[in-house]
Amino acid sequence: MQVFFEPIWSWPLVILTSLGLVVLVYVTYQAQLKRLPRRQAQLLLTLRMLAVLVLTFAMFRPAIQTSDTDDNPVQLLILADTSRSMNTSDMPGGTSRFSAVRADLTRYEPKWKELGNQVTVRQFDFDRGLAPHNPAATEGTGDQTAFGAVLEDVIRETRDHRSLGLLLLTDGAQRAIPPYDADPLTAARKLGDSQVPIYAVVYGTSSLSTASLDLAVEDLRIDPIVFEKKLVPISCKVRAMGARGKKIRVRVLLEDRTGKRMNESGEFKPAPATYQAQTVKEFEVQGDAETLAVDLSFVPQTAGELKVAIQVESDETELLTRNNRRETIVSVKKGGLNVAYFDQLRPEQSRIRMVNGADKIQLEFQEVRAGRSASQTKLDRSWFEPGRFDVYLIGDVRAEWFGNEILEKLAARVEDGAGLLMIGGLQNFATGGYALTPLADLLPVKMDAADYRPIGKLNPNTQYMGDVKLVPTDRGLKEFVMQLGSSDKNRSLWTNLPALEGATRLRPVNDLVRIWAETADKQPLLLVNDVGKARVAAFGGDSTWLWCLDGKADLHQRFWRQMILWLAKKEADTDQPVWVNVDPRNFAPGSNASILFGARTADGRPAKDTRFEIEVTKPDGQIERPSPRQLNDEHSAEFSATSEPGDYWVRVSARRSGESIPEMAYTRFIVDARDLELDYPSADHDFLKELASVTGGTSLKPEELGSLIERLKQTKYDALTRIQITTLWDNWWLLLTFVGLMSCEWFLRKKAGLV
């Protein structure tokens, strides 16, 4: 321990100043204390002089210096990359990078030990972060390489130990997504400030054009909004590496959603070729590394959201194929949705017709008369011409009232893709003679010709009598048609609806038919199916109008509108009272998706004072509920849980003035399936060179590793002496002493009447 002083000024000046203060205080203070008793005067003078001495002590700024010796061994950190890109076989002799690193670790292990007792060698593995070294590992398994997070871990390892340096054995490619994408250069600068140099040994080549075959679709461009039955151009680029002289084929794929519900993705099928669309192209690759510009086109046949993909067909020798396809979503627009509805004049039809005009649903009603007035019914045959209507609804109408010619035309329209729904009644289905018509092969119910009854005769065997409670099935509750509210309230909304007054007995025609609703005793009530291009349904109820009498008109309208939209394959139509949009439609893993949504009034203006609920269904089926926010008239939400590739389905429901707005809005976006480690596995020599230079280290080749160890062996390390200086003048107790002396002296002077 050593005591030393660092005066505030030069020594002579500080000494003279101190003596001057003592003399000044003594002379001036003596005159003030003459009239006080001697002991009291001496006490006051002593206190004042002690305060001057404390001030003089501070002017000399004394300090105590202590030192101790740190003789702990110096450490050398060796980090081996265990990410999947290290499995790339581009080292001499076709060896993988991972195997080359492990071979070098084994080869130079004796040299680690020769570094001596003063150097401790610590080995680690890394990918997303630092991990204990596993000598038994045979290949890289890490799905990300996060140098920023790894170097932050290294900083913690070097905080309390002297370090000879950090040896990185890696291909040097930073491949990470949030929260693993910390800035590696910032962490490297911290290591440089701590005098921990990075020695980066680079494994792998920066170009893989001759090492392996890889075909990838990049830069897919297509208009986000297109129109039905119009040519849609597509442009993209195809990157071909190691494919010299090979012929490759690029084609357009369209998603087939037949039999799929809202939160399920369909399979891709080749886009149908037409005389105006070019859905396939073939190329011959001329070089080892070539990027080809490809122009394709297709013609969408139906409106709604359409998932499109461009795929380059893989070669049998290609190892990585997940980047051979790039997907996106487009909105296919169409005019108004036209619905033809045939029924008798009964309470059910009057309520169903209320959907007319809403959400561009143009419902045209044809009254079909029975009894003596049957001859007055004249059906317009133009209603059954191709393209006239998107959906046909059949109420309590017998087959003979249509006639064979019209029923054959109706069946042809369904085969063309028009939706078809038959609603419960006393004179339709098998009782009304449909078992022997072309519709028998289209409707999702089994009809027996023996159940036929003449006009005016009822068949009690085909009817439920009394109250019938409509109960959605577990599968039905997940479907667009059966969504009356948010997922946590949907079942209770159905439970609180009034029972139906009877219903038609229905049986599924085969096991492919989906049952979305049933009676309380598990008998089918709502059956749906996909027949070719069309969606068909059968609903046994004919008294949903009772829901309106019970104050549930909004739920009644929602159910029927959603039924019609589903039949027309427009459940994902963006031109609805409640709308939602995600732009762009494709995101990289870990990105933030911005969801925009809102509501419209009947005249198309933004609906104000509206509350929204948002649900995002992830590819694994989990549901997230991001919080909506509002800025002026814009509503939005941010969704960041996008680490898993696949389709993300967004559903938005809304309430205005306490009432639910009919129809929920649906859309989806895609998180591209990317393998961060293997999509572009080239080594990054430049990055490692920059990373090492920031710390005062260097970048080198694997064959130079031995010479580096020899240089490190020549480094001499003496014991580290740590010096600690403790100042005695700028602390709380000195200040407290000075204030205490002055306060005590002032108090005694005041008591003596000198203040």
Side-chain angles (χ1 to χ4, degrees), residues 54 729 731-744:
V54 170
W729 58 273
N731 47 58
W732 63 270
W733 57 264
L734 187 67
L735 177 62
L736 184 62
T737 301
F738 180 78
V739 173
L741 290 170
M742 294 299 295
S743 299
C744 183

Side-chain angles (χ1 to χ4, degrees), residues 210-230:
T210 59
S212 59
L213 172 66
D214 185 34
L215 305 175
V217 178
E218 301 175 340
D219 196 20
L220 174 60
R221 298 186 181 184
I222 180 173
D223 288 338
I225 299 178
V226 299
F227 294 91
E228 181 185 27
K229 296 182 173 62
K230 299 293 184 181

Side-chain angles (χ1 to χ4, degrees), residues 177-178 326 584-593 639-645 648 669-674 676:
I177 60 175
R326 186 60 62 91
R585 307 304 289 269
N586 293 72
F587 295 89
S591 301
N592 284 336
F639 185 77
S640 58
T642 57
S643 59
E644 181 180 357
Y648 288 72
F669 61 90
I670 300 172
V671 173
D672 293 325
R674 297 182 183 177
L676 296 178

Side-chain angles (χ1 to χ4, degrees), residues 64-355:
I64 297 176
Q65 176 178 302
T66 59
S67 62
D68 62 346
T69 302
D70 181 7
D71 54 1
N72 290 326
V74 177
Q75 65 175 357
L76 173 66
L77 303 180
I78 301 176
L79 274 61
D81 191 344
T82 57
S83 61
R84 293 169 59 208
S85 65
M86 296 297 289
N87 298 329
T88 305
S89 299
D90 60 347
M91 298 299 291
T95 303
S96 71
R97 302 170 187 172
F98 185 91
S99 298
V101 169
R102 294 296 158 140
D104 284 345
L105 288 175
T106 302
R107 180 183 305 116
Y108 295 111
E109 184 175 4
K111 291 185 177 293
W112 307 140
K113 298 178 180 179
E114 292 176 7
L115 286 174
N117 295 329
Q118 286 299 104
V119 177
T120 299
V121 176
R122 303 176 63 196
Q123 295 189 45
F124 297 89
D125 294 336
F126 75 93
D127 43 54
R128 292 189 182 191
L130 213 56
H133 177 60
N134 178 16
T138 58
E139 63 178 2
T141 57
D143 59 353
Q144 297 182 44
T145 307
F147 280 103
V150 169
L151 294 183
E152 290 290 345
D153 290 343
V154 170
I155 291 173
R156 287 188 284 272
E157 293 292 334
T158 60
R159 187 166 294 160
D160 298 323
H161 300 277
R162 289 187 295 163
S163 298
L164 177 61
L166 169 62
L167 189 60
L168 275 179
L169 310 179
T170 176
D171 58 17
Q174 164 80 355
R175 306 179 183 96
I177 60 175
Y180 307 105
D181 60 347
D183 182 12
L185 293 178
T186 300
R189 292 187 184 96
K190 294 179 182 178
L191 287 173
D193 293 340
S194 301
Q195 297 184 348
V196 181
I198 293 178
Y199 303 102
V201 184
V202 190
Y203 292 80
T205 61
S206 58
S207 174
L208 301 180
S209 58
T210 59
S212 59
L213 172 66
D214 185 34
L215 305 175
V217 178
E218 301 175 340
D219 196 20
L220 174 60
R221 298 186 181 184
I222 180 173
D223 288 338
I225 299 178
V226 299
F227 294 91
E228 181 185 27
K229 296 182 173 62
K230 299 293 184 181
L231 186 69
V232 178
I234 302 174
S235 66
C236 67
K237 294 180 180 179
V238 174
R239 176 174 53 84
M241 301 182 69
R244 178 192 291 270
K246 292 182 179 292
K247 291 185 177 180
I248 62 174
R249 182 181 292 110
V250 186
R251 66 169 66 250
V252 182
L253 303 178
L254 302 179
E255 183 186 32
D256 180 11
R257 294 191 46 76
T258 302
K260 301 294 184 180
R261 56 177 182 259
M262 179 55 65
N263 291 335
E264 291 182 343
S265 301
E267 295 181 0
F268 279 107
K269 293 184 178 180
T274 66
Y275 72 94
Q276 59 183 143
Q278 187 167 14
T279 59
V280 181
K281 273 192 175 182
E282 290 188 353
F283 299 89
E284 182 173 342
V285 182
Q286 302 298 323
D288 288 327
E290 189 171 350
T291 299
L292 307 171
V294 181
D295 293 318
L296 297 167
S297 58
F298 75 103
V299 178
Q301 299 299 314
T302 58
E305 287 196 343
L306 180 63
K307 191 174 181 183
V308 183
I310 300 299
Q311 178 168 298
V312 53
E313 294 183 359
S314 62
D315 187 277
E316 63 274 6
T317 61
E318 186 178 8
L319 299 179
L320 174 65
T321 60
R322 63 183 300 166
N323 57 359
N324 289 42
R325 187 170 74 194
R326 186 60 62 91
E327 306 168 1
T328 191
I329 298 173
V330 298
S331 296
V332 183
K333 292 290 188 179
K334 182 182 177 180
L337 175 59
N338 297 311
V339 180
Y341 181 23
F342 306 90
D343 207 346
Q344 299 185 54
L345 291 180
R346 57 178 183 158
E348 186 73 340
Q349 59 83 24
S350 65
R351 297 292 182 172
I352 293 177
R353 289 167 62 186
M354 290 174 63
V355 304

